[in-house]
Amino acid sequence: MAQHEVAARAGSYADWPAGLDDRLLSALAKRGVTRPYTHQAEAIAAARGGQDVVLATSTASGKSLCFHAPIVQAVLDDPRARRCCCSRPGAGARPGPEPARAGGRGGAGARRRRRLRR
């Protein structure tokens, strides 16, 4: 695993990507989000353009909006559209499962997965 630390800096803002519904922008504005951070605008535009998006930013930097805004927009574009968001509860609060050990036996996470398969 590689780790690289970057010093904290002030956020930079951008305009909302083109094509977002006024209802979505209004709902965000009511919650105090009037302009996206640059990484949010870029991620939303990329997702709406059909690109895969991976984000690695600090806690409370708005990653969730990057993924949820395109989903809400898709439903606003086509009310019959359906999307599924899956995440592990408390994913940010706990370390992940232990890596597999020699001999094919996994750690605690592997035992949990085996129990769920029964």
Side-chain angles (χ1 to χ4, degrees):
M1 175 173 85
Q3 182 173 335
H4 177 72
E5 292 187 29
V6 178
R9 58 186 166 158
S12 59
Y13 295 90
D15 292 326
W16 289 109
L20 293 180
D21 193 288
D22 287 339
R23 293 172 290 177
L24 173 57
L25 298 178
S26 176
L28 291 168
K30 286 178 184 175
R31 288 159 181 78
V33 182
T34 56
R35 293 185 68 201
Y37 287 116
T38 303
H39 72 277
Q40 291 172 317
E42 292 173 358
I44 292 167
R48 298 235 333 118
Q51 297 177 10
D52 293 329
V53 176
V54 176
L55 296 167
T57 62
S58 61
T59 301
S61 62
K63 291 181 290 292
S64 295
L65 180 63
C66 297
F67 298 108
H68 294 291
I71 293 169
V72 171
Q73 183 59 52
V75 174
L76 290 171
D77 288 343
D78 179 2
R80 296 170 299 159
R82 297 293 176 258
R83 302 292 186 267
C84 178
C85 297
C86 301
S87 64
R88 192 176 95 218
R94 299 182 302 219
E98 297 174 21
R101 296 186 182 120
R105 297 184 65 209
R111 285 190 295 277
R112 263 194 307 277
R113 284 190 295 277
R114 281 195 292 272
R115 272 192 296 247
L116 291 174
R117 289 184 189 146
R118 290 185 192 161

